[in-house]
Amino acid sequence: MAGVLPTEKPGFIGRSRELAALRQAWQHSRLVTLTGIGGVGKTRTALRAAAESAGNFRDGAWFVELSGLQDSELLMHAVARVLCPTDHTTRSVEEALADHLSTKHLLLILDTCEHLVDACADLADLLLRAAPGLHLLVTSRQPLGIPGEHALLLEPLPVTKDAVALFAQRALAARPGFTLAGRNRATVERICTRLDGIPLAIELAAGRLRTETLEDLLDRLDDRFQLLVDEEAITEKAAGDPGGPLHIAFRHDTLRTAIGWSHELCRPHERLLWARLSVFVGDFSRAAVEHVCSDDILERAEIGELLTGLAEKSLLVRERGPDGERFRQLDTVRAYGAEWLRLLGEELPRRARHLDWCQAFAERGERDWFGPGQAAVFRATRREHAQLFAALDFALSTPGQEQAGLRLAGTLWFYWVGCGLLGDGRYWLDRARALGPDPTHERLKVLWVGGYVAILQGDSEAATAMLTECRSQALRTGHDAAYAYATHRLGCAALIRDEHRTAQALFESSLSCYAELDELNSNVMMAQVELAMALAFQGDLETAVGLCAEARSLCESHGERWAKAYALYVLSYAAWTAGRYDEAAKLAQECLVINYEFRDLVGVVLPIELISLFRASSGHSFPAALLHGAARRIWRKVGLPLFGSAYFNAPHEAAVALARKALGDDQYAAAVEYGTRLPLGEAVASALAEVDQLLRRSEPEMRLP
């Protein structure tokens, strides 16, 4: 288990004393909170400390950014997405997190907690109790206030050394050839003194050197601060109480002054875009900005230039990666923009526009999922994860947006099911379903998608209730598509209950409905594969193979891979029963490769179970037992092992009997235990490895005491 930290921004300056204090604090406290005013560098210092100390933690260092999270109910989900994104069981997120961390030795950074301080305190208390090897590093403008916390205050940079060095570094980026010497240095020191050594304020000021001289910069800064002092004097006199609420509300704040000054120096359209960008969470694309932020005032054609202008002023971070150019706002800058958005009266309409973009994005993903772009859909949807969740939260908590929230939750079925987010999907679908009983098209889709997710989690009772409600309401209101999908998924519920004749009838009925509706997509292909499973379990393997071969051919002709993988699973088992062992192994491994690419855990663990049977049958008992352990670990994250079905369980039981007989109880148990410790990627690699390679790697290790 390796840690995940963001790529560190180059040019870290100073903080040696603070980093040493953090290292010392970890020796006697498992909860360290780095406090300080906004813009003082808490996040960067925490990341530098984590990077330097990650090697001291067996399971690495992990980072969770909370600045864009507004709903405290989503805090657990945000942490779980980073630490255990593959847990899809019906357990509460709290239980899943506690269980996942119980044996780990890692450092977890919770960044920007001040707006969720009570919820973060509860989370920290829960996790520290559940996980004795967990260390927490929190950044917040105030401590969490729980027993055992060690709070460290991060002060501004010393002006004569580190603050000046930071200014010079950023000035050189803004104006190539800039040097720090003689008179220049004295002016820079005055600027840094005026900015109280606050790193973000210094960076914003240095960015102005693209268009101004040092002397002009200092003069403008003096004017801006004098204006604030005059405002404070007027406010104090009007309030009649130097310590009263009005005076306190307008208390001199260097960072806010610096940001406000930067705001004033922006062109009007830059200021407007700055405000509108505050609806985004995390990083975002130019295309998204063009859709969400443009209108008759801000034309789409000028968005690119405005983004560049904000980035050059250090008000926007521009990042280039394998997926192209992305942008991100620092939390303090984003918060300032959000205030202006509210003052402009644009918050709700602009967030609704953001929701519209997310819906259009999801609909493109749903459409392109059945085709050669599946892998690209997976990557793009993962990349926009934060935007989609922010839009769902807005829609499901804002009067008048409920149907839009239902629509988005249902449209994302391919993400919940096909991309390994069953747990997150269940949360949003249940929340959407609870909004009301009206049988709208949007709610009916949420019902059948929710039922599908619950089936894959092994929650057959809840699934049947949702699907039955969907089917009856669809029949009553004439929603033929919802009726077909609910019928299909009721067939799945019957299949995992080993009610194969009932499942067969439901699958055949749904396929007939799909044909009448002229539906052809991944769900239709899955219905055909699942019908094949029902027939195979009844002994009609020949018909099952024909159905899966046809589904495989159709998928390949459309470039579809996800549903195809399930057809390969059935074809693999059929090939093995017919004695075509090499073909069976290749089909199962191809199935595994595809489903691992999409992080579909159900689709990963099923072929692993088959491959363990193939290994055990060929006498390779150690690798087979190892895969049993790996599969056990994956099932814990999915739900009920093999759905509680005797028929899905048959290959597993056969493999267990063979491996246990060959190894003996003790050696088999040791091999399984070893397998349970394999991370997902290593488990998949083991299942894909050539047997001789696997034996050379695993058997000696298994025999160690």
Side-chain angles (χ1 to χ4, degrees), residues 38 62 208 281 327 666:
W62 299 74
R208 299 302 307 172
V281 179
F327 297 90
D666 291 344

Side-chain angles (χ1 to χ4, degrees), residues 346-676:
E346 284 200 23
E347 182 180 16
L348 286 179
R350 203 52 56 181
R351 292 192 71 185
R353 184 78 171 161
H354 178 262
L355 171 60
D356 290 342
W357 180 84
C358 288
Q359 179 62 37
F361 175 86
E363 288 173 356
R364 286 196 303 273
E366 183 181 36
R367 182 188 66 242
D368 295 345
W369 185 251
F370 187 66
Q374 269 185 335
V377 169
F378 167 75
R379 291 191 298 271
T381 312
R382 283 273 176 150
R383 190 168 58 241
E384 303 297 351
H385 183 105
Q387 308 303 334
L388 294 168
F389 278 35
L392 281 166
D393 187 43
F394 166 70
L396 297 177
S397 59
T398 303
Q401 298 290 345
E402 296 89 350
Q403 291 303 310
L406 285 159
R407 184 163 64 253
L408 181 55
T411 302
L412 286 169
W413 71 266
F414 66 93
Y415 192 39
W416 314 137
V417 173
C419 302
L421 275 88
L422 295 179
D424 281 332
R426 184 72 181 272
Y427 170 81
W428 290 113
L429 291 161
D430 284 351
R431 186 169 159 184
R433 184 167 54 90
L435 288 176
D438 294 341
T440 61
H441 171 77
E442 290 80 7
R443 187 170 191 277
L444 291 177
K445 188 168 185 177
V446 160
L447 284 171
W448 75 253
V449 174
Y452 187 10
V453 168
I455 287 168
L456 295 175
Q457 290 181 309
D459 191 359
S460 181
E461 183 178 350
T464 301
M466 282 185 269
L467 294 167
T468 300
E469 179 185 352
C470 178
R471 195 177 187 221
S472 63
Q473 289 187 351
L475 188 61
R476 186 171 65 253
T477 57
H479 286 90
D480 295 337
Y483 179 84
Y485 283 99
T487 300
H488 172 187
R489 297 308 167 190
L490 281 168
C492 295
L495 182 66
I496 66 172
R497 291 196 302 266
D498 296 332
E499 298 169 1
H500 302 135
R501 289 189 182 277
T502 300
Q504 177 186 343
L506 289 165
F507 289 138
E508 289 172 344
S509 175
S510 65
L511 284 166
S512 177
C513 292
Y514 287 147
E516 290 179 10
L517 294 165
D518 200 26
E519 289 275 287
L520 183 61
N521 54 38
S522 298
N523 283 296
V524 177
M525 293 295 94
M526 287 294 291
Q528 186 160 327
V529 172
E530 288 153 352
L531 173 59
M533 291 179 181
L535 292 169
F537 290 153
Q538 294 178 77
D540 189 357
L541 202 56
E542 183 179 352
T543 305
V545 168
L547 286 168
C548 285
E550 181 185 16
R552 177 185 185 182
S553 178
L554 276 169
C555 287
E556 289 176 347
S557 67
H558 287 82
E560 205 280 354
R561 300 176 69 230
W562 175 69
K564 170 189 167 181
Y566 284 87
L568 297 176
Y569 168 75
V570 178
L571 292 171
S572 172
Y573 185 71
W576 181 78
T577 60
R580 301 193 303 273
Y581 303 125
D582 288 344
E583 179 186 350
K586 289 178 181 177
L587 288 168
Q589 289 181 331
E590 184 181 355
C591 168
L592 176 57
V593 167
I594 294 171
N595 283 319
Y596 179 63
E597 179 181 354
F598 294 120
R599 297 303 189 269
D600 177 359
L601 289 192
V602 174
V604 165
V605 72
L606 288 175
I608 284 180
E609 294 280 10
L610 277 188
I611 293 168
S612 71
L613 172 60
F614 303 161
R615 297 267 166 86
S617 299
S618 60
H620 299 290
S621 304
F622 274 105
L626 180 144
L627 290 180
H628 289 160
R632 179 184 295 177
R633 175 173 177 166
I634 298 171
W635 281 116
R636 285 184 197 142
K637 296 177 179 294
V638 173
L640 188 62
L642 293 152
F643 317 114
S645 162
Y647 284 80
F648 276 101
N649 199 46
H652 172 81
E653 291 298 328
V656 169
L658 288 169
R660 191 184 294 276
K661 181 178 179 180
L663 297 174
D665 289 344
D666 291 344
Q667 197 63 31
Y668 174 79
V672 169
E673 174 59 27
Y674 181 83
T676 62

Side-chain angles (χ1 to χ4, degrees), residues 261-318:
W261 173 61
S262 294
H263 187 262
E264 291 172 4
L265 294 175
C266 287
R267 292 179 291 145
H269 281 197
E270 287 177 333
R271 291 198 290 266
L272 183 56
L273 181 60
W274 178 352
R276 291 178 176 180
L277 289 175
S278 65
V279 301
F280 288 100
V281 179
D283 60 86
F284 45 87
S285 67
R286 173 176 167 175
V289 175
E290 289 174 346
H291 180 94
V292 174
C293 299
S294 65
D295 58 10
D296 293 339
I297 301 173
L298 284 185
E299 295 183 4
R300 184 181 292 257
E302 66 176 319
I303 293 294
E305 179 188 351
L306 294 173
L307 287 171
T308 298
L310 291 173
E312 288 177 347
K313 295 176 178 67
S314 299
L315 295 165
L316 200 59
V317 178
R318 179 163 37 193

Side-chain angles (χ1 to χ4, degrees), residues 172-190:
L172 185 61
R175 180 185 291 179
F178 176 85
T179 58
L180 188 67
R183 184 176 176 183
N184 268 8
R185 183 179 185 91
T187 305
V188 168
E189 286 185 3
R190 288 181 62 191

Side-chain angles (χ1 to χ4, degrees), residues 4-6 43 47 62-70 74-75 77-82 108-113 115-116 120 137 139 280-284 317 319 327-332 334 386-387:
V4 177
L5 295 175
T43 299
L47 285 173
W62 299 74
F63 179 84
V64 182
E65 182 182 3
L66 301 175
S67 61
L69 189 69
Q70 300 302 317
L74 297 177
L75 175 61
H77 290 266
V79 177
R81 273 200 306 277
V82 173
L108 174 61
I109 304 168
L110 299 178
D111 184 53
T112 314
C113 296
H115 60 304
L116 300 167
C120 287
L137 174 56
T139 71
F280 288 100
V281 179
D283 60 86
F284 45 87
V317 178
E319 300 169 337
F327 297 90
R328 177 171 52 84
Q329 283 186 309
L330 295 177
D331 178 53
T332 311
R334 179 176 177 269
Q387 308 303 334

